[in-house]
Amino acid sequence: MVWDVLNVIGTIAFVMSGAVVALEVKYDIIGAYVLGLITAFGGGAVRNLFIGIPIIELWQQTALFIVAIITITIVILLPSSAVHFLTKWSIFDSIGLSAFAVQGAMYAQSIDLPLLAVMFSAAITGAGGGIIRDVLAQKKPIVLRQDVYLLWAIFAGFIIGMEWVSEAYQYYILFAVTLMLRGISHRLGWSLPTRTIQQSQKD
């Protein structure tokens, strides 16, 4: 039940995120549907490829695809002012990241994968769709260049991989904590250290 609930929450959040980005960069209606669906399902598809789950399982989520298409349609029909308001907040990204990080880690743990694989599954499920979305929108992936984003997905994967949670309410608490940490880091502008290489100037 926890897995299904988080799957629905993550799907709706990332579908909205992808559709909003598509409208923001002035893609057409088909572009909004494509970007929304890829944001929601891309991370899970990549995860399945890496941990050896048949990709056909992706197409067996008919109910989720219907929910996703309805959600994208609602976003497209929203007034421009509402869409503009949504672009100012990363709430959908944060919800999708937190839900899919916990869900992805649970999935990997359920097939007895080691700790590193559980952490990877959490990270790629939580952030993979967003990375693909940003690349298709011709933007540098926000996951890799600013904010503390991917780290929180890895954190959730570590907690689950260490088997420190086992009850349903504990998974919901972990989802809430991950969401809170992501929200705080975004609000306060936290970022991980970066290093750049200066271009040498030629005479």
Side-chain angles (χ1 to χ4, degrees), residues 96-175:
L97 168 78
S98 305
F100 275 162
V102 174
Q103 184 252 22
M106 291 176 65
Y107 195 94
Q109 187 188 47
S110 70
I111 56 176
D112 298 321
L113 291 180
L115 175 61
L116 287 179
V118 174
M119 293 167 64
F120 172 82
S121 182
I124 199 64
T125 310
I131 294 174
I132 299 172
R133 174 203 64 205
D134 289 346
V135 170
L136 291 178
Q138 299 180 353
K139 300 167 63 176
K140 291 182 179 179
I142 189 174
V143 174
L144 306 177
R145 65 184 177 88
Q146 68 184 59
D147 286 349
V148 182
Y149 190 98
L150 196 58
L151 180 65
W152 301 132
I154 296 172
F155 159 79
F158 178 77
I159 297 297
I160 292 174
M162 292 296 292
E163 299 183 355
W164 291 345
V165 294
S166 57
E167 301 295 331
Y169 76 91
Q170 294 175 326
Y171 288 109
Y172 288 124
I173 291 174
L174 180 58
F175 161 68

Side-chain angles (χ1 to χ4, degrees), residues 11-25:
T11 298
I12 293 175
F14 269 154
V15 157
M16 294 189 73
S17 171
V20 167
V21 169
L23 298 180
E24 185 181 16
V25 297

Side-chain angles (χ1 to χ4, degrees), residues 25-194:
V25 297
K26 299 181 180 179
Y27 281 1
D28 62 18
I29 293 178
I30 295 298
Y33 281 101
V34 169
L35 220 57
L37 291 172
I38 285 179
T39 307
F41 296 99
V46 175
R47 175 201 66 206
N48 288 357
L49 288 174
F50 273 95
I51 67 176
I53 304 299
I55 195 64
I56 193 173
E57 287 202 5
L58 173 69
W59 304 110
Q60 296 174 343
Q61 304 178 88
T62 304
L64 279 181
F65 275 106
I66 293 174
V67 169
I69 290 172
I70 292 173
T71 303
I72 296 170
T73 303
I74 292 173
V75 172
I76 291 173
L77 295 176
L78 285 175
S80 297
S81 57
V83 176
H84 180 69
F85 174 78
L86 294 177
T87 60
K88 294 182 179 180
W89 301 91
S90 64
I91 185 63
F92 300 121
D93 259 359
S94 299
I95 293 173
L97 168 78
S98 305
F100 275 162
V102 174
Q103 184 252 22
M106 291 176 65
Y107 195 94
Q109 187 188 47
S110 70
I111 56 176
D112 298 321
L113 291 180
L115 175 61
L116 287 179
V118 174
M119 293 167 64
F120 172 82
S121 182
I124 199 64
T125 310
I131 294 174
I132 299 172
R133 174 203 64 205
D134 289 346
V135 170
L136 291 178
Q138 299 180 353
K139 300 167 63 176
K140 291 182 179 179
I142 189 174
V143 174
L144 306 177
R145 65 184 177 88
Q146 68 184 59
D147 286 349
V148 182
Y149 190 98
L150 196 58
L151 180 65
W152 301 132
I154 296 172
F155 159 79
F158 178 77
I159 297 297
I160 292 174
M162 292 296 292
E163 299 183 355
W164 291 345
V165 294
S166 57
E167 301 295 331
Y169 76 91
Q170 294 175 326
Y171 288 109
Y172 288 124
I173 291 174
L174 180 58
F175 161 68
V177 169
T178 306
L179 177 59
M180 180 183 67
L181 290 172
R182 165 57 187 160
I184 291 173
S185 64
H186 177 74
R187 180 70 176 174
L188 299 181
W190 293 352
S191 60
L192 296 174
T194 60

